[in-house]
Amino acid sequence: MRKAAALASAAMAAAAVAVVSTVLYQRQRRAAKRSERAVEAVLLRDLQERCAVPVELLRQVADAMAAEMRAGLAAEGGSDLQMLVTYVDSLPSGDEKGVFYALDLGGTNFRVLRVQLGGKERRVIKQDSKGISIPRHLMSSSSHELFDFVATALAKFVASEGEDCYLPEGTQRELGFTFSFPVKQTSIASGTLIKWTKSFAIDEMVGKDVVDELNMAIRRQGLDMKVTALVNDTVGTLAAGRYVDHDTIAAVILGTGSNAAYIDHAHAIPKWHGSLPKSGDMVINMEWGDFKSSHLPLTEFDQELDAESLNPGEQIYEKLISGMYMGELVRRILLKMAREAAIFGDNIPPKLERPYILRTFDMLMMHHDTSSDLRTVANKLKEVLGIEHTSFTTRKLVVDVCEAIATRGARLAAAGIYGIIQKLGQHSDIPNRRRSVIAVDGGVYKYYTFFSQCMESTLSDMLGQELAPSVVIKHVNDSSGVGAALLAASYTIA
C-alpha cells in the first residue's frame, strides 16, 4: 500500500512538474514571440524612416539632378550624368509616309519591326513585329557572328512580306536601329560601342561603329537596306511620344533599367562644337541611372547591393528605382528580418539567401494583393522562396516592406522628372504656360500600378496646384522599336 501510494505520489509530482514545464515553455514562447514582434516593428519602422523622402528632400534631389545636367552639358566628364548628344535634331511630325523598318536590340532578345505610315490623316496604318532570342554563345563570340545572326533574321522578316508592303523597284529599305548599350554617337547614323552590358562580352567589338557592323552584315545577306537612324530605347520612346503628342518634351524608361531623354536648345549645350541644327534643338540622352547625390536616401541594403553588384559605385539612381533591383532589395530586407526577428520561423529559408531570386514582378504581385487574407502573398512566398506556412501578420509585414521600397523609388523617379522640368525652366508659375508631356514606357510603369500612381501624385505635389495640370505623364506603349522606325522615316524625308 505504502509503495503504491508513493508511486502515485511520484507520478502526480512528475505530472505537476510536466504541467509547470509546459506552462513555462508556453510562456517563454509567447514572450519570445512578443520579443520577435517587437524586433519586427523596430526593423520596419527603421526601414520606413530611412526610405522616407519628404517633399523637401525631393526638391534637393531635383536641384542636384538639374545641376548635374548642366555640368554634363558643359563638358565631357563634367558630371556623373553623361548627357550624350544624340544628333537627333528632328523628331517625327506626323507627315511621314511609307514603309519603314526597325531593329530593337537591347538584351538577350531582339525584335524586328515593320511600320507602314500614312501621313497626318492615316498615321500608323499597319505594324508587324517578330521577336527572336539570341543564342547565349553568340553573346560572347564575335561581332561578325552576332550581326550575321541579326541580319539573317531581318532578311527572313523582309522575305515574309505580303503585297501590301511592296516598295518600288530600286527603293532601298530604311532601318531605325535601337541599340540599348552605351555608345558614343558621331552622327545620326553612326556610333562606337563604349562597353557591353547585360551579359554580352564581345571584346573585339568595343570601339567599333555598330552601324557599320550591322550594315556590312545586311549586305552579306544581299538585302537592300541601310541604317538611317541609330537611337537608344529612351530616344525611341521620345520620338514615339512626339508622334502621338507634339507637346512631348521628354521621355522616361522605367523597366528593368531606367533612363531619360529630353529636348534641349542646342545653344544650351556648351560641349556641342558642331554647327547649330536648323531646328535649334537637340535630343539629349541623359543616362540618368548614373545619377548620384548625397541627398539620395541610401540604406544598408542599398550599400550592400551596390557593393556586391557587377558595377559597384555605378548606376546608383537606377538601383533605387528600377525593376532590376527593387525586388532584390525586398529580398535583402526580408533576409535580415528572418535572421533577427525569425519572421519565417526558427530556420532561415534557404532560397531567401539566393540573390535576385525575388523579382520586382513578384514584389508587385504581393504589394497589389487586396485579398482579405493576403493569399497572393502567401502563394508567392511559397512559390518563389519555398516558405510553406506564414501568418497574416507576417504577410502584412512583407506588403509593408514592398510599399516602403516602391514608395521611395516612385518618389525619387518623380524628383528626376521634376529635375528635367526645372532644367528647362518650366517649373515657374508662368501665366498661360505651355502644356508639357512626359512620355513613359517600361514594365515597372506599365504593370506596377502603385508605383506609377505614386510617381504621378508626387510630381503633382512638387509642381503645385497651379502648374500640375499643365504637365502630363503619358504612357507610350511598346515605343522604342516604333520610335526607331519613325526616326528612320524622319531622316529619310529630311
Side-chain angles (χ1 to χ4, degrees), residues 31-46:
K33 279 290 181 188
R34 284 195 297 271
S35 175
E36 288 166 2
R37 294 302 180 204
V39 174
E40 284 176 24
V42 169
L43 291 173
L44 178 61
R45 187 164 58 249
D46 181 64

Side-chain angles (χ1 to χ4, degrees), residues 81-154:
L81 297 180
Q82 295 184 52
M83 302 300 288
L84 300 172
V85 175
T86 65
Y87 293 85
V88 174
D89 58 9
S90 175
L91 288 166
S93 63
D95 293 324
E96 296 81 8
K97 291 183 178 181
V99 177
F100 299 91
Y101 298 81
L103 167 65
D104 190 352
L105 174 60
T108 55
N109 301 294
F110 68 92
R111 287 188 309 148
V112 289
L113 301 91
R114 178 174 48 247
V115 180
Q116 189 172 356
L117 303 173
K120 273 193 165 56
E121 296 299 319
R122 301 178 68 192
R123 310 295 282 185
V124 177
I125 298 170
K126 189 177 180 183
Q127 176 184 330
D128 300 295
S129 67
K130 182 175 177 59
I132 299 104
S133 294
I134 299 174
R136 288 202 67 84
H137 74 275
L138 291 181
M139 296 166 67
S140 57
S141 56
S142 69
S143 57
H144 190 102
E145 289 178 284
L146 175 64
F147 283 105
D148 272 357
F149 180 79
V150 170
T152 300
L154 265 172

